[in-house]
């Protein structure tokens, strides 16, 4: 990515510390680049150390911002997330913007190292656990913002509490993905309620259909034919990052919380997402599935 591909910016983010997951590729990468260009200290997270190091060097080179660092973590592994939170807190004493972005679709059934269905484990529990563990630091940094990248793919979904992990039904990768993205939105609504009056906002978003590496992990056909074909009809990663960057930096949304955004505007998510009982049930289940229930 070249410097002239970064979105134009008016707002300086100097002095702000931002953590972005899944920032070695696609939307996360473009988001990190834009925030770095605004002068923020940016910490990127992904699984692959070489890709992290290369991404950091590239962002530093393009933006001339030297305050870019990485932390390696597998966000589908709860112990790896716990280690990440400990390492983060030992190194930084504040976090102004957390962007939960690392997410994938798995067309074939897989499990995390914790034995949880992979889509649920990475896309929802990954967001939930990292946010929960960093919440004290984020609150102490208020005003602060928590942003979760969801998707309009949540629209046809509900949370099937009786069988979230597809243990009693045939696995359906698209269904599992839609459910996990709905969970991102409902988690955000429940989180925003808990954060009322704290100076910390929580919002989720749909980035658009974006040309990235998304879904390319699903075999040779997906990687070499499906993904390149989809990319032809998709917006660029820079454009796909716009709503994330807007929510992270724009003064007009500094106090807006508990919303779902598309194209930098609050929009409605599906009807199921507004069921507060279901949001609370999801919160309790997430505490249980991450081993946090005993502490809560
Ligand atoms: N692309 C779209 O059209 C679209 C539409 C709607 C929503 N979204 C959402 O946007 C977000 C970003 O997607 P993208 O399209 O930018 O995807 P992408 O190009 O595939 O990038 C995914 C990023 O996540 C990281 N990642 C994946 N698994 C990880 C793990 N277990 N631990 C740590 N990092 C991990 C990857 O890094 P490593 O492989 O180096 O670990 C990579 O940096 C996702 O939440 C997705 O659901 C995308």
């Amino acid at each position: 990515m070249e410097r002239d591909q970064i979105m134009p910016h008016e707002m300086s983010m100097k002095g702000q510390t931002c953590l972005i997951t899944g920032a070695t590729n696609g939307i996360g990468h473009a988001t990190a680049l834009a925030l770095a260009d605004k002068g923020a200290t940016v910490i990127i997270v992904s699984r692959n150390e070489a890709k992290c190091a290369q991404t950091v060097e590239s962002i530093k080179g393009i933006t001339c911002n030297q305050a870019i660092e990485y932390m390696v973590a597998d966000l589908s592994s709860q112990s790896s997330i716990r280690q990440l939170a400990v390492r983060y807190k030992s190194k930084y004493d504040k976090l102004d913007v957390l962007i939960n972005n690392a997410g994938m679709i798995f067309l074939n059934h897989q499990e995390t190292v914790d034995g949880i269905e992979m889509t649920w484990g990475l896309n929802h529990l990954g967001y939930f656990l990292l946010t929960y563990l960093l919440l004290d630091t984020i609150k102490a940094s208020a005003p602060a913002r928590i942003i979760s990248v969801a998707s309009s793919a949540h629209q046809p979904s509900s949370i099937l509490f009786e069988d979230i992990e597809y243990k009693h039904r045939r696995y359906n990768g698209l269904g599992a993905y839609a459910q996990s993205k709905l969970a991102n939105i409902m988690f955000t609504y429940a989180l925003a309620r808990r954060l009322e009056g704290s100076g910390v906002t929580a919002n989720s978003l749909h980035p658009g259909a974006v040309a990235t590496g998304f879904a390319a992990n699903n075999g040779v056909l997906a990687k070499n034919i499906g993904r390149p074909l989809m990319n032809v009809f998709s917006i660029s990663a820079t454009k796909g990052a716009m709503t994330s960057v807007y929510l992270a930096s724009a003064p007009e949304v500094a106090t807006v919380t508990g919303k779902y955004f598309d194209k930098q505007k609050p929009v409605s998510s599906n009807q199921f997402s507004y069921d507060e009982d279901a949001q609370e049930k999801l919160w309790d289940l997430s505490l249980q599935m991450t081993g946090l229930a005993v502490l809560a």
Side-chain angles (χ1 to χ4, degrees), residues 21 38-40 46 92 110 119 128 153 190-191 213 223-225 227 231 294:
T21 68
K38 290 174 184 290
S46 89
Y92 304 94
Q110 291 181 43
T119 324
F128 181 87
L191 180 63
K223 187 173 178 191
N224 296 333
I225 298 176
R227 188 66 251 178
N231 284 353
V294 281

Side-chain angles (χ1 to χ4, degrees), residues 37-175:
D37 199 49
K38 290 174 184 290
T41 294
V42 178
I43 298 100
I44 68 162
V45 176
S46 89
R47 291 166 294 185
N48 181 320
E49 174 136 34
K51 263 165 76 182
C52 279
Q54 191 187 20
T55 304
V56 163
E57 284 319 304
S58 148
I59 294 176
K60 282 181 178 173
I62 294 168
T63 63
C64 297
N65 179 348
Q66 298 307 303
I68 317 299
E69 297 185 29
Y70 68 82
M71 290 189 165
V72 177
D74 180 347
L75 298 162
S76 70
S77 156
Q78 297 187 4
S79 67
S80 185
I81 295 173
R82 285 193 161 78
Q83 286 165 25
L84 170 66
V86 169
R87 271 186 286 143
Y88 184 87
K89 289 177 183 185
S90 68
K91 192 158 184 198
Y92 304 94
D93 52 14
K94 68 182 200 120
L95 180 53
D96 303 290
V97 179
L98 168 64
I99 304 184
N100 291 306
N101 168 83
M104 291 175 77
I105 187 167
F106 302 92
L107 295 181
N108 294 313
H109 181 269
Q110 291 181 43
E111 285 188 0
T112 70
V113 290
D114 305 300
I116 294 167
E117 188 280 308
M118 183 61 90
T119 324
W120 189 251
L122 172 64
N123 292 10
H124 169 59
L125 296 179
Y127 283 21
F128 181 87
L129 182 58
L130 184 62
T131 305
Y132 196 98
L133 295 175
L134 294 175
L135 210 49
D136 49 356
T137 306
I138 298 171
K139 280 184 186 167
S141 314
R145 309 180 188 204
I146 300 170
I147 296 150
S148 292
V149 181
S151 172
S152 64
H154 80 278
Q155 283 292 352
S157 190
S158 62
I159 307 282
L160 197 58
F161 285 103
E162 310 82 72
D163 192 19
I164 279 185
E165 295 185 72
Y166 287 83
K167 285 186 176 159
H168 309 296
R169 295 170 287 165
R170 192 191 170 91
Y171 179 69
N172 169 355
L174 292 175

Side-chain angles (χ1 to χ4, degrees), residues 22 24-25 27 46-47 51 74-75 101 150 177 181 208 210 212-213:
T24 54
N25 206 58
I27 298 161
S46 89
R47 291 166 294 185
K51 263 165 76 182
D74 180 347
L75 298 162
N101 168 83
Y177 179 72
K181 293 287 127 182
V210 189
T212 65

